[in-house]
Amino acid sequence: MHALALLVLVPALAVFFVYAFKKKKRILSLFGSLDLVGRLARSVSVRRQRAKAALQTAAVLFLVLALARPQFGTKLKTVQREGQDVFIALDVSLSMTAEDIKPNRLEKARHEIGSFIDKLRGDRIGLIAFSGKAFIQCPLTLDYGAAKMFLDAMTPDLIPVPGTAVAEAITRAAGSFAGQERKHKILILITDGEDHEGDPIAAAKAAAGEGVVIDAVGIGYSQGVPIPLTDERGIPAGFKKDRNGEVVMTRLDEITLQKIVLETGGKYYRATPGENELDRIYSDLKKMEKKTLSSKQFAQYEERFQAFLAFVLAFLVLEIAVPERRRLKKEWKGRFES
């Protein structure tokens, strides 16, 4: 609709032509009587010049109307959104602060998840946080911006219960997928794999029975590393120790994670500095059969600017076709010799 402001060009152009014709008339009067000038330049047609000016003005008018994109008449259009339901279960236990992967396991995982969310197109994403307990941090949603906000809040302070409840995270995810269908359910499990709270293999088997496919990303190294501690001000305060005063070492449990994915037909990946494991999961996700997540029907107005452009073209062709000068019939006024 902002293009309609250009309609001011139409009266401006008309005023310009009126002024130009009057100015031209005044200049011709300087050469003598207008009647005499008219007889001397009989081939010049003022009427045709005015017609050409009118055609140019009309072309500008219809061009502005075309730019305004007039719409009238409607048609029904159905838009379907297709994709997968994807939950990402992120381990936020204290062991994820280990620095065998820089800056630490948790920061590495959150950065990779954020990049994964940015790639999604039409898939619903949900987040599960777990340590000693598991809960839904973000239910399945198409609002990727909101999902990333929830992701930023997933820190070791989020769940005060110590431990790594991988089994509970799997069970929580399996019960949170929408619908009763037994496909289109993806769980991405990101953890160091040290489960101290349940039987993750049994939980994976139960999830597989509900159609959940689990892909696991093991983060960390199999060699033991200490778990750093910080005080209330975030200043390093040594390492976590057990009751005997021995430094607690955390290790990546790849065997457990491989057994989990084997139960559901998923794949296991070890986290790498290049962060390509979630890219590979996303590539597999795009190849999977999609389901219709939503369907919406709305009325769409028909574009009618084409007719106005046709008028513009017609006026311009006529303007070019109309000559400014008219053809005069020449009369021979000589004489025949006898």
Side-chain angles (χ1 to χ4, degrees):
M1 296 300 292
H2 297 294
L4 291 178
L6 295 176
L7 284 174
V8 70
L9 294 175
V10 177
L13 189 61
V15 170
F16 168 76
F17 281 128
V18 171
Y19 171 79
F21 281 118
K22 288 185 176 180
K23 183 74 173 178
K24 184 177 181 181
K25 189 174 181 181
R26 284 198 301 270
I27 292 174
L28 288 176
S29 67
L30 298 176
F31 290 94
S33 170
L34 291 177
D35 290 338
L36 177 60
V37 173
R39 285 197 296 270
L40 292 175
R42 286 185 303 155
S43 63
V44 177
S45 173
V46 176
R47 182 177 298 177
R48 292 189 180 189
Q49 290 178 347
R50 291 174 179 172
K52 289 172 71 69
L55 288 171
Q56 292 173 6
T57 304
V60 172
L61 170 62
F62 279 87
L63 179 60
V64 172
L65 294 177
L67 290 174
R69 296 182 64 184
Q71 300 174 336
F72 50 89
T74 60
K75 63 178 180 180
L76 291 178
K77 187 175 181 179
T78 301
V79 175
Q80 291 184 340
R81 186 187 292 271
E82 295 183 334
Q84 305 286 352
D85 284 340
V86 182
F87 263 113
I88 298 179
L90 176 60
D91 185 351
V92 295
S93 63
L94 197 59
S95 65
M96 289 290 285
T97 62
E99 298 175 351
D100 49 351
I101 290 184
K102 300 299 181 182
N104 61 46
R105 295 175 178 179
L106 184 57
E107 288 299 321
K108 167 79 171 178
R110 292 201 308 175
H111 181 269
E112 196 164 354
I113 293 170
S115 298
F116 177 81
I117 293 175
D118 289 337
K119 292 182 176 66
L120 296 178
R121 296 292 184 272
D123 303 287
R124 290 193 296 191
I125 186 71
L127 299 174
I128 295 175
F130 68 95
S131 58
K133 290 290 183 181
F135 73 94
I136 304 297
Q137 171 76 349
C138 174
L140 288 170
T141 180
L142 288 166
D143 189 342
Y144 302 140
K148 294 185 72 173
M149 289 178 60
F150 281 112
L151 176 64
D152 291 338
M154 296 175 74
T155 65
D157 299 330
L158 186 64
I159 303 176
V161 182
T164 309
V166 176
E168 185 177 343
I170 296 173
T171 302
R172 183 78 65 179
S176 300
F177 285 102
Q180 302 299 318
E181 58 195 2
R182 295 185 176 275
K183 56 182 179 179
H184 310 295
K185 299 177 181 180
I186 311 298
L187 171 61
I188 302 174
L189 183 65
I190 303 179
T191 177
D192 53 25
E194 292 185 309
D195 188 297
H196 308 292
E197 313 300 328
D199 187 349
I201 310 303
K205 187 174 182 178
E210 298 180 30
V212 179
V213 175
I214 301 176
D215 288 328
V217 177
I219 189 161
Y221 293 98
S222 55
Q223 298 84 3
V225 294
I227 302 173
L229 298 176
T230 57
D231 60 19
E232 295 178 353
R233 294 174 295 176
I235 299 175
F239 298 99
K240 184 179 180 180
K241 297 180 180 180
D242 59 18
R243 295 177 181 177
N244 298 323
E246 299 291 333
V247 175
V248 176
M249 307 297 283
T250 176
R251 297 175 176 81
L252 171 62
D253 185 358
E254 290 189 290
I255 295 177
T256 298
L257 294 177
Q258 289 169 349
K259 290 180 179 179
I260 288 173
V261 300
L262 188 62
E263 289 288 343
T264 66
K267 295 180 181 180
Y268 170 74
Y269 304 88
R270 177 186 281 191
T272 61
E275 298 186 355
N276 60 357
E277 46 278 351
L278 285 186
D279 288 341
R280 292 161 65 185
I281 292 176
Y282 178 71
S283 296
D284 291 339
L285 187 68
K286 291 195 298 183
K287 298 174 185 177
M288 297 175 66
E289 178 188 355
K290 305 292 185 181
K291 76 170 182 176
T292 301
L293 297 177
S294 62
S295 179
K296 186 176 181 180
Q297 192 175 66
F298 64 95
Q300 184 179 44
Y301 288 100
E302 294 276 8
E303 297 275 5
R304 301 296 184 181
F305 68 89
Q306 298 91 340
F308 292 88
L309 286 179
F311 277 107
V312 173
L313 182 61
F315 287 136
L316 291 178
V317 170
L318 283 174
E319 193 275 337
I320 294 173
V322 174
E324 288 190 5
R325 297 177 178 274
R326 56 194 170 196
R327 184 177 298 178
L328 298 177
K329 294 181 179 180
K330 294 183 179 180
E331 296 182 5
W332 185 70
K333 295 183 179 180
R335 58 184 180 175
F336 290 99
E337 296 290 341
S338 59

